[in-house]
Amino acid sequence: MSRTASTVRPFTLGGVALAGAAGVIATWLVTYVGYFVVSMLNPSNILPNLGPTAAIGLVLGVALAQMGPALQKQKGLAVGIGLVAGVVWLGLTMAFGVALPLTFLVTTLAMFAIAGLSIRSVFLGVDVAHLRKDYVEAVVFRLVRGILLCAVTLVVALPFFFMLSLSFKTRAEYLGDPTNLSVNLIQPIPELFSGFIEVLVRFNFGVYIFNSTAIALLTVVITVTTGILGAYAVTRLRFPGRRFLSKAILLIYMFPAIVLVIPLYSVFTQLGLRDTRHGLLIVYSAMTIPVALYMLRSYFQTLPADLEEAGLIDGCSRAQVIWRITIPLSGPAIASVGLYVFMIAWNEFLFAFMFLDTPAIFTLSRGMMVLDDMEVPRQLLMAGATIITIPIMVLFFRFQRYLVGGLTAGSVKG
Amino acid sequence: MKGKRYASVTAREARLALWMLLPAFLIVFAVIVFPVVANFWISGKSVSLGDLRPATPSLREFVAQAPSEAGDELVLEYRLRNSSRGVPIQDVVLEATVPEGLSPAPNDAPAAPDAQHCSIEAGRIECRWDEWEGGFSDTITFTFIADQAFFDAQVDMRSPTEADISGRSINVLTTFDFTLDNFRFVVSARRFWEVLRTTFAYPFLGAIGSILLGLTAAMLLNRKFPGQTLLRGLYLFPYVAPIIAVAFTWVFLLEPFRGTLNTYLMSIGVLESPISFLSTRSIQIGDLPFPLALSIVIFFDAWRYFPFSFLFILARLQAIPSDLYESVEVDGGGMVRQFISITLPQLHSVITTLFLLRFMWTFNKFDDVFLLTGGAAGTRTLPIQVYDNAFGRGDIGAGAATAVVLFLFLAVFLILYFRYVVKED
């Protein structure tokens, strides 16, 4: 028993059917996704041939599923079997007279190795010789999981990849084959970045970057400062109406911008604040202060009050206590708030669009509207989109931990 | 003694709290609370975009006929206009100085000054009007006889009398006349009920879509595997990326003329001819009409906001104790049973909250629909209508009235939200 269990399982009709079906699906999925990705990076559209792929997938599935636990443990074996299947597949495809570029040869082998690994993990712990309901369920579940993982990732990532890739392509290059998202990296830098250079120089995006950065940073300063003061008062000081205030903060956070835009537009026009950077700064601060108060308040509540009381007894003033004790202890929360506020101010569209008329004070969001013109090549629109997205992308991936904190706290616990 | 001291400490603390909260309070009050109230106020007024600039009297001085030698006539014109088409100006006063060497022509001259409003006394011209109505414009003409002193003084012929005008206009926003016309206009608009239907369908389906996608993504990543952290970051990105960048990317991706998606779908044989995804109101699928543009906008909403649901559902999933699953496994329940009898009940409350929040936020979302379709092809929602009325048609009052309708709906949702979701902290 133990010898057979550790090597090859006995063949049963049900087991082979399940393994074959799973093998076909997994192999087809992996090779299809692989080819799809590679053909986006390559100036040709080749998709795997269904016939040979299915046949080899079937064999691959059965071969990997019939292995006992000991063989299943070895990942290398699965990769090896996958590679062999890949070579056979290439032989079959070539025999049909299809000429494949080198990139596709390499891709095919890599994809089959991945297919081998995937099928192995689909059948991990499943004894195909004695099929039970939960084994079948596990196999189906894992396959569905894999399919969904590929699908969701593709749907999420594709628009961003599209944006990035198209910002490097001229109109002619794009119209030549709109489905080809590859970028020809082997060209002189000024040509490769021509879209970006044009957007930065001719469309003044350099100025807009400065405006966006300045407004976003100042918003962070104003919001964080007022937020710290306010949140400290709400958590540490006793005053009438304290409980009411906590609810009010939450309520105000829910007020939508579209309800504010008409009165603000009217009043700011009459006060001469509308087409100015500080007008925008005031609006952004007001939009973010409730969130900042809410987030900082939640964090201050977790800080022990003892330390601050000790400081007060030692003769520090409230200002000193906040500066020397509360703020240093709240580093992560302040970072969360700051990043979140920066992101909101940087991304804001509605008010920038409604308020700003003078190109010299445009933010990036507002400046993008200039590029949305049939006369302007779409490449420049995508270059603009990339320019406005990159800083957020860098901040996000660099400080993901803090931003995630901001995102969750920025939305009230349920 | 002790009690008094205690009281003063409490009072000091309350005063300090007030000072510390004041900056936040002032900014939020001025930019959020006040405008919400002001919006109700404006919704009862008949105000157009042009009326926001205060009405001012404008004056152009113009020498219609210049004298060439002593004894000739100088004909002077004042061209007057109210800068606003709708708002009257009260107590308009025009003052000017007659230069040396000019004397009013006898009254029987062809263009006598407008005696009803103007007088010339001791070298000064003064004109008064009680009111200029909106759109008022007029020209008044004076005729003078020039003598030698006039030529000696070398008067600037562009504005010989240095006329100045002033007036008092009401600020349309601060008057006390109200009207219900704006609301009548909003409710009787040709497509109001259709807009209302879209306004509800869009956030309802969008919220469901984003929760389903978020749930799927959370289930997929609720397990350690290589690349899991990277995927988590990627899955959050649609939510943090600037709206304007992702919206334009989608518009470009879906373009009808040689757009990437159209070309791809045609190359694999799904489509025969390109579709304009964002400007086609509906297509026939079998016999049923399918609202295409609205569906795309809803799908975009699900795509952009699923990370929010994903984050919350993932956090909740990771908090489910594993022995709950084990108990089902012992009973012989498979994955489906585990999902239905453990996972879903555990997620129930977070999903309800997410639905309410997402519904509310999408309900008054403007940017997304505006940037994708501009409200065309059956995607017009109330926020788009607010913008269109106020800034597209230039009718600030009607825009504000639309915003009031929107706000009243929102108030109902907020009451529900505070009743059922936000309990005592």
Side-chain angles (χ1 to χ4, degrees):
Chain A
M1 167 79 192
S2 64
R3 270 195 67 81
T4 38
S6 61
T7 53
V8 176
R9 311 296 301 148
F11 287 88
T12 59
L13 189 60
V16 170
L18 181 68
V24 172
I25 294 171
T27 311
W28 188 77
L29 179 73
V30 170
T31 47
Y32 193 90
V33 169
Y35 269 51
F36 182 77
V37 172
V38 174
S39 60
M40 285 196 308
L41 302 171
N42 231 302
S44 55
N45 268 324
I46 301 178
L47 289 173
N49 220 326
L50 191 58
T53 312
I56 289 173
L58 189 118
V59 177
L60 192 58
V62 174
L64 286 160
Q66 292 294 339
M67 296 194 303
L71 290 178
Q72 273 187 348
K73 263 196 197 120
Q74 297 166 21
K75 280 191 186 174
L77 191 64
V79 172
I81 295 176
L83 284 175
V84 171
V87 171
V88 175
W89 187 90
L90 284 175
L92 275 179
T93 310
M94 302 279 206
F96 280 113
V98 181
L100 288 172
L102 181 67
T103 39
F104 279 80
L105 292 180
V106 179
T107 313
T108 308
L109 291 179
M111 285 306 116
F112 272 92
I114 294 175
L117 276 175
S118 313
I119 296 171
R120 170 190 162 269
S121 60
V122 165
F123 283 96
L124 211 56
V126 171
D127 182 358
V128 280
H130 305 92
L131 273 188
R132 293 200 320 244
K133 191 174 148 244
D134 60 325
Y135 283 162
V136 180
E137 221 179 72
V139 169
V140 172
F141 184 78
R142 287 167 184 175
L143 274 176
V144 170
R145 227 186 121 80
I147 293 170
L148 285 177
L149 201 62
C150 293
V152 174
T153 308
L154 208 65
V155 168
V156 172
L158 195 64
F160 293 108
F161 184 72
F162 179 82
M163 175 177 93
L164 198 64
S165 149
L166 275 264
S167 59
F168 287 104
K169 280 159 119 45
T170 62
R171 192 179 177 77
E173 278 175 317
Y174 166 72
L175 288 178
D177 178 6
T179 57
N180 169 19
L181 300 183
S182 68
V183 177
N184 178 13
L185 294 173
I186 318 162
Q187 53 180 325
I189 297 284
E191 264 168 54
L192 185 62
F193 286 91
S194 63
F196 290 93
I197 294 166
E198 194 167 349
V199 164
L200 284 174
V201 177
R202 190 152 78 86
F203 287 93
N204 286 326
F205 265 51
V207 179
Y208 306 160
I209 292 176
F210 171 79
N211 289 335
S212 273
T213 314
I215 291 180
L217 284 179
L218 284 172
T219 307
V220 171
V221 171
I222 294 178
T223 299
V224 168
T225 319
T226 48
I228 288 175
L229 288 176
Y232 183 87
V234 177
T235 34
R236 290 286 189 260
L237 303 176
R238 277 157 305 172
F239 59 93
R242 197 170 118 173
R243 295 181 68 86
F244 165 75
L245 201 68
S246 304
K247 281 257 171 70
I249 295 170
L250 207 58
L251 181 69
I252 282 169
Y253 179 56
M254 298 284 167
F255 284 0
I258 192 74
V259 174
L260 311 177
V261 77
I262 291 175
L264 284 178
Y265 184 93
S266 311
V267 175
F268 275 36
T269 302
Q270 299 203 332
L271 295 179
L273 272 174
R274 187 167 64 79
D275 190 16
T276 65
R277 275 173 287 206
H278 42 274
L280 215 51
L281 185 61
I282 297 172
V283 175
Y284 291 175
S285 305
M287 279 166 64
T288 47
I289 281 174
V291 198
L293 275 176
Y294 189 85
M295 286 164 72
L296 289 169
R297 189 195 64 135
S298 314
Y299 190 81
F300 287 169
Q301 278 169 343
T302 66
L303 292 180
D306 312 4
L307 268 174
E308 290 166 24
E309 276 159 22
L312 284 175
I313 289 165
D314 283 351
C316 289
S317 66
R318 283 279 179 192
Q320 284 171 324
V321 165
I322 294 175
W323 185 248
R324 297 213 182 128
I325 300 174
T326 314
I327 291 179
L329 283 177
S330 320
I334 292 174
S336 281
V337 176
L339 281 162
Y340 186 65
V341 169
F342 184 89
M343 197 185 83
I344 290 185
W346 179 274
N347 290 354
E348 206 282 335
F349 166 72
L350 177 59
F351 284 100
F353 173 62
M354 298 296 318
F355 281 17
L356 303 181
D357 298 329
T358 312
I361 60 170
F362 278 3
T363 61
L364 279 168
S365 282
R366 180 67 183 83
M368 283 287 290
M369 293 306 277
V370 179
L371 295 180
D372 181 31
D373 184 328
M374 274 304 158
E375 305 286 305
V376 177
R378 291 300 202 180
Q379 177 200 19
L380 301 189
L381 187 70
M382 290 298 101
T386 306
I387 290 174
I388 185 171
T389 307
I390 292 278
I392 291 295
M393 195 183 268
V394 170
L395 278 182
F396 177 73
F397 282 101
R398 174 72 186 73
F399 300 105
Q400 208 193 115
R401 195 162 54 93
Y402 296 119
L403 254 173
V404 167
L407 291 181
T408 42
S411 63
V412 186
K413 52 186 148 180
Chain B
M1 176 74 184
K2 202 178 172 193
K4 195 179 166 200
R5 210 179 131 186
Y6 176 73
S8 81
V9 168
T10 320
R12 252 209 339 256
E13 213 171 282
R15 214 162 45 232
L16 180 65
L18 181 72
W19 281 112
M20 291 175 77
L21 277 163
L22 200 63
F25 180 78
L26 282 181
I27 298 180
V28 169
F29 186 85
V31 182
I32 295 179
V33 181
F34 167 73
V36 169
V37 179
N39 194 67
F40 278 86
W41 177 276
I42 296 173
S43 71
K45 302 202 145 291
S46 168
V47 191
S48 73
L49 207 53
D51 296 338
L52 291 178
R53 299 221 168 273
T56 47
S58 87
L59 163 80
R60 265 185 62 211
E61 193 174 342
F62 186 70
V63 175
Q65 183 190 320
S68 48
E69 57 183 289
D72 275 1
E73 283 188 345
L74 183 149
V75 180
L76 182 72
E77 279 181 16
Y78 291 134
R79 293 177 182 179
L80 308 166
R81 199 171 59 82
N82 180 345
S83 71
S84 161
R85 302 204 60 77
V87 183
I89 306 173
Q90 274 87 22
D91 301 333
V92 183
V93 178
L94 184 157
E95 286 175 312
T97 317
V98 181
E100 282 292 307
L102 285 185
S103 51
N107 268 358
D108 57 345
D114 191 339
Q116 194 192 340
H117 295 291
C118 297
S119 62
I120 304 181
E121 264 169 41
R124 289 190 62 75
I125 301 176
E126 194 176 284
C127 305
R128 288 180 179 278
W129 293 262
D130 290 339
E131 182 177 285
W132 285 4
E133 60 221 41
F136 170 92
S137 89
D138 198 5
T139 304
I140 47 179
T141 313
F142 294 91
T143 311
F144 298 99
I145 306 293
D147 58 27
Q148 193 52 47
F150 176 76
F151 293 99
D152 296 342
Q154 301 238 328
V155 175
D156 179 5
M157 291 301 272
R158 277 169 304 180
S159 89
T161 61
E162 292 170 342
D164 200 16
I165 198 161
S166 67
R168 194 168 52 79
S169 72
I170 44 147
N171 186 335
V172 278
L173 292 178
T174 51
T175 55
F176 284 93
D177 11 296
F178 292 97
T179 163
L180 279 176
D181 286 354
N182 292 328
F183 287 96
R184 258 177 237 128
F185 172 80
V186 167
V187 176
S188 63
R190 200 157 43 88
R191 286 182 305 189
F192 179 70
W193 299 106
E194 192 196 316
V195 167
L196 216 54
R197 211 176 56 204
T198 316
T199 309
F200 277 88
Y202 164 57
F204 183 81
L205 297 172
I208 291 181
S210 77
I211 289 173
L212 284 181
L213 196 53
L215 178 65
T216 311
M219 297 290 290
L220 290 173
L221 293 198
N222 185 26
R223 213 183 57 168
K224 281 259 168 279
F225 60 89
Q228 184 226 24
T229 330
L230 189 77
L231 278 187
R232 197 182 84 137
L234 178 70
Y235 283 11
L236 291 176
F237 202 63
Y239 189 64
V240 293
I243 174 67
I244 191 143
V246 286
F248 280 152
T249 305
W250 273 64
V251 171
F252 188 19
L253 194 59
L254 299 173
E255 232 180 28
F257 172 71
R258 297 289 279 162
T260 299
L261 189 68
N262 266 310
T263 313
Y264 185 74
L265 290 180
M266 279 162 70
S267 81
I268 60 170
V270 174
L271 287 183
E272 278 172 19
S273 56
I275 297 185
S276 176
F277 289 100
L278 291 169
S279 55
T280 307
R281 181 181 289 264
S282 82
I283 50 165
Q284 292 283 324
I285 294 184
D287 287 334
L288 293 170
F290 178 75
L292 185 66
L294 183 62
S295 307
I296 301 277
V297 170
I298 290 170
F299 181 70
F300 176 83
D301 185 79
W303 178 84
R304 179 156 156 76
Y305 298 102
F306 91 87
F308 183 74
S309 312
F310 162 69
L311 208 57
F312 278 83
I313 295 176
L314 186 62
R316 191 70 199 83
L317 280 179
Q318 286 170 346
I320 300 177
S322 56
D323 46 343
L324 280 180
Y325 288 113
E326 279 154 21
S327 66
V328 174
E329 222 166 321
V330 169
D331 291 348
M335 309 242 181
V336 178
R337 263 284 307 284
Q338 287 182 9
F339 181 74
I340 290 170
S341 61
I342 306 288
T343 315
L344 275 186
Q346 290 277 332
L347 292 178
H348 179 261
S349 75
V350 71
I351 287 180
T352 315
T353 310
L354 283 171
F355 180 80
L356 253 172
L357 278 177
R358 282 267 36 106
F359 183 87
M360 271 197 291
W361 287 344
T362 311
F363 186 83
N364 45 54
K365 197 96 204 143
F366 167 79
D367 309 2
D368 304 40
V369 181
F370 179 73
L371 289 170
L372 286 178
T373 65
T379 59
R380 180 173 294 262
T381 58
L382 272 181
I384 299 284
Q385 194 81 325
V386 171
Y387 172 84
D388 249 24
N389 280 337
F391 304 103
R393 297 179 56 255
D395 189 344
I396 293 279
T402 318
V404 165
V405 175
L406 182 86
F407 188 77
L408 293 180
F409 282 120
L410 186 73
V412 176
F413 306 146
L414 279 175
I415 291 169
L416 285 177
Y417 177 71
F418 274 82
R419 285 280 296 262
Y420 296 109
V421 179
V422 185
K423 289 158 196 142
E424 288 302 307
D425 291 36

